[in-house]
Amino acid sequence: GDQVEQSPSALSLHEGTDSALRCNFTTTMRSVQWFRQNSRGSLISLFYLASGTKENGRLKSAFDSKERRYSTLHIRDAQLEDSGTYFCAAEESSGSWQLIFGSGTQLTVMP
Amino acid sequence: ETAVFQTPNYHVTQVGNEVSFNCKQTLGHDTMYWYKQDSKKLLKIMFSYNNKQLIVNETVPRRFSPQSSDKAHLNLRIKSVEPEDSAVYLCASSHRGNYAEQFFGPGTRLTVL
């Protein structure tokens, strides 16, 4: 089965609302990275976490430091420009440097 | 500008042809990667490479091969393309070692007719 399970697969929000994306890992991961893919296909790195939480503006991400088997991305006060596809990606603890990607969340923010 | 650069942006070719995609990073990283994103937007690692070690995903067909002239460049060659190779190919780079954030290029979209 998939090592990285991302949910939801699609999400529609009204402007100004809050929501969260989640990734579960079937095994312990060394680190997690969250990306947004824009309409041109570019993968923009939002957060890189080896543990704990990070916050940047209206976005906040957390990586469970104990079990190291799930991560979340919180979006506060959603704006139209937040629309896009969001991916989580994790690096296995074996240290292969390779990222294992979730299947993505298609986020649509509506007026 | 420091970033990961890829050329071409798009490439259309016919079954059986050979193609080569270029990737260059100016971030001073020592490890580079190629990922494939299919029509369902699923992203999978193909190769990771630094000057000492190449790691190949076992699912990658042998017609794919990475080519590196120095640590700032990692090109992707496909010897004889197949229809299922149609996808977006994304190059990335990072520092080697623990806890290395990866940065991605804009991708090359390949269409095989």
Side-chain angles (χ1 to χ4, degrees):
Chain A
D2 293 341
Q3 290 179 279
V4 178
E5 298 170 350
Q6 185 172 346
S7 62
S9 57
L11 181 62
S12 292
L13 298 176
H14 285 286
E15 270 187 301
T17 58
D18 305 343
S19 191
L21 314 181
R22 184 180 176 102
C23 277
N24 290 319
F25 314 126
T26 56
T27 186
T28 300
M29 295 297 183
R30 178 191 294 249
S31 65
V32 65
Q33 204 167 340
W34 284 91
F35 298 90
R36 178 170 62 232
Q37 189 166 40
N38 62 22
S39 57
R40 294 181 184 179
S42 294
L43 272 175
I44 309 300
S45 180
L46 300 174
F47 295 103
Y48 173 85
L49 297 105
S51 66
T53 63
K54 285 188 179 178
E55 192 166 356
N56 184 3
R58 296 178 291 101
L59 300 179
K60 181 178 179 180
S61 183
F63 180 33
D64 164 48
S65 301
K66 286 187 180 178
E67 301 285 329
R68 311 187 72 80
R69 296 181 70 163
Y70 73 86
S71 176
T72 55
L73 176 68
H74 293 263
I75 303 172
R76 176 175 55 82
D77 185 25
Q79 300 297 305
L80 296 177
E81 60 264 29
D82 295 333
S83 294
T85 304
Y86 289 75
F87 291 95
C88 69
E91 182 191 358
E92 291 182 286
S93 295
S94 61
S96 66
W97 323 314
Q98 298 173 355
L99 292 177
I100 305 169
F101 277 79
S103 53
T105 297
Q106 178 67 49
L107 173 66
T108 304
V109 180
M110 303 172 292
Chain B
E1 182 186 3
T2 54
V4 181
F5 302 93
Q6 289 185 243
T7 57
N9 296 327
Y10 305 92
H11 189 75
V12 181
T13 191
Q14 293 186 327
V15 170
N17 285 350
E18 177 176 321
V19 300
S20 186
F21 303 146
N22 300 316
C23 181
K24 170 187 172 182
Q25 56 91 6
T26 57
L27 295 164
H29 291 157
D30 52 21
T31 304
M32 297 183 72
Y33 312 81
W34 278 100
Y35 292 83
K36 179 182 179 181
Q37 186 171 35
D38 64 20
S39 58
K40 297 180 181 178
K41 291 195 171 181
L42 296 175
L43 277 146
K44 289 202 172 171
I45 183 72
M46 300 179 71
F47 305 99
S48 61
Y49 181 76
N50 66 20
N51 61 359
K52 293 183 180 179
Q53 188 176 8
L54 171 67
I55 298 178
V56 181
N57 186 321
E58 61 187 14
T59 66
V60 174
R62 296 185 67 162
R63 60 181 179 277
F64 288 83
S65 60
Q67 298 176 316
S68 178
S69 55
D70 55 57
K71 66 178 184 180
H73 296 82
L74 185 68
N75 299 335
L76 179 66
R77 174 177 167 238
I78 313 173
K79 199 182 298 187
S80 176
V81 296
E82 297 286 339
E84 61 264 31
D85 299 338
S86 294
V88 176
Y89 292 87
L90 289 153
C91 176
S93 71
S94 73
H95 286 297
R96 184 168 62 95
N98 296 337
Y99 312 120
E101 183 176 4
Q102 294 190 20
F103 295 88
F104 282 74
T108 294
R109 180 177 293 278
L110 172 66
T111 301
V112 180
L113 302 175

